[in-house]
Amino acid sequence: LGLFYVNSTSPAVTRITAVPQLAVAYSDTLQLAFASTGSRVYTYRGTSSVRFEWATNLTTESGGPYDGPVVDMRMADDGTLYTASVASVNMRHANGSIGRLGWREGLPTNMTSSVDIDERGAVWVGTARGACRWNRTDGSWRYFYLQRYLPGSSVVYDVASSNGVTLIVTDGGIAVIEEQQWTLTMKAAAYEQILARHDRDGLGLIGDC
C-alpha cells in the first residue's frame, strides 16, 4: 500500500508514503505528480511533497477547493488536472485555479466515479447513471446510458483509448463505443441492411415473432 516513485533511469523504487491512495496522475507539462487519499490531493515533485489541498467533506461541509472524496483523476496535455468525486468533476488548471463541472454545467449527474481524457482531448466521465463525454473546445456534452450504449447503468470505470474507441466498464459488463465518420451513402447502406434484416418476404417490418 502507499505511493511509490520509480526513476526511469534507475531500477530503484522509492516508497513516498504508506498512506493508501485512491488515484494518481502525472503532468509532463508541469513535471508534477498528483495523488489523492480521498480527503486530500497532494502535489509531488519527484519524491518530495510540494503541497496538499483539502477535498470537501460532504458530511461536515469542511474542506477545501476540491469536491470530495476524490476517487479518480486524469491529467490533460495542457496541464489541467481533472478529478472525479461523488459531487462533481473538478478542474485544476496549470495556473492553480480550480473550476467545477456539475449539473449546472451540463453534467447529467453529479455522482461521478471516473474521469479520463481521449486522444482528441475530450473528457469522459463515468457516473452512477451512465457515461458522458465533454468537448472542451465547444463545451458540448454527449450522454451514453441504458441498453442502447451500455450493458449496465452504473459506470465502475471508463478507459478512453486510441483511434476513437472507448471501453467503459459498468456493473453489467463492458461496452465498446466507437466513433465513426459516415457519408450519406454509407448511412443509407446501413439503413438498407437494417430494413432487409427485419423485412420478411415482402411483408414489411416485423418487430417480433
Side-chain angles (χ1 to χ4, degrees), residues 143-164:
Y143 188 36
F144 305 88
Y145 188 43
L146 298 179
Q147 293 298 315
R148 180 178 182 183
Y149 298 108
L150 306 177
S153 59
S154 179
V155 175
V156 180
Y157 202 77
D158 65 63
V159 180
S161 57
S162 60
N163 300 320

Side-chain angles (χ1 to χ4, degrees), residues 1 4-5 19 21 23 52 56 60 79 86 90 93 98 114 117-118 128 135 141 161 170 209:
L1 295 177
F4 298 85
Y5 175 82
V19 177
Q21 309 292 310
F52 77 84
T56 300
T60 63
V86 297
N90 286 124
H93 303 287
I98 296 180
S114 60
I117 303 172
D118 65 23
N135 188 319
W141 291 87
S161 57
T170 75
C209 295

Side-chain angles (χ1 to χ4, degrees), residues 85-138:
S85 72
V86 297
S88 71
V89 171
N90 286 124
M91 303 174 291
R92 186 188 191 282
H93 303 287
N95 62 8
S97 63
I98 296 180
R100 190 174 191 268
L101 290 175
W103 64 269
R104 289 187 178 88
E105 292 73 33
L107 189 66
T109 172
N110 284 10
M111 294 186 64
T112 65
S113 56
S114 60
V115 62
D116 214 326
I117 303 172
D118 65 23
E119 75 280 359
R120 298 182 182 180
V123 179
W124 288 81
V125 182
T127 76
R129 294 189 175 182
C132 50
R133 184 183 66 191
W134 181 55
N135 188 319
R136 293 192 294 164
T137 303
D138 60 17

Side-chain angles (χ1 to χ4, degrees), residues 21-101:
Q21 309 292 310
L22 297 182
V24 64
Y26 179 74
S27 171
D28 285 323
T29 303
L30 305 177
Q31 294 291 297
L32 294 173
F34 298 85
S36 167
T37 62
S39 60
R40 297 181 181 183
V41 174
Y42 287 84
T43 304
Y44 292 93
R45 179 175 284 111
T47 58
S48 301
S49 174
V50 178
R51 62 177 174 272
F52 77 84
E53 297 160 306
W54 287 100
T56 300
N57 185 309
L58 297 181
T59 302
T60 63
E61 298 184 353
S62 62
Y66 295 94
D67 292 320
V70 175
V71 296
D72 196 20
M73 58 174 58
R74 288 294 183 277
M75 180 65 65
D77 291 338
D78 63 357
T80 301
L81 177 69
Y82 291 85
T83 63
S85 72
V86 297
S88 71
V89 171
N90 286 124
M91 303 174 291
R92 186 188 191 282
H93 303 287
N95 62 8
S97 63
I98 296 180
R100 190 174 191 268
L101 290 175

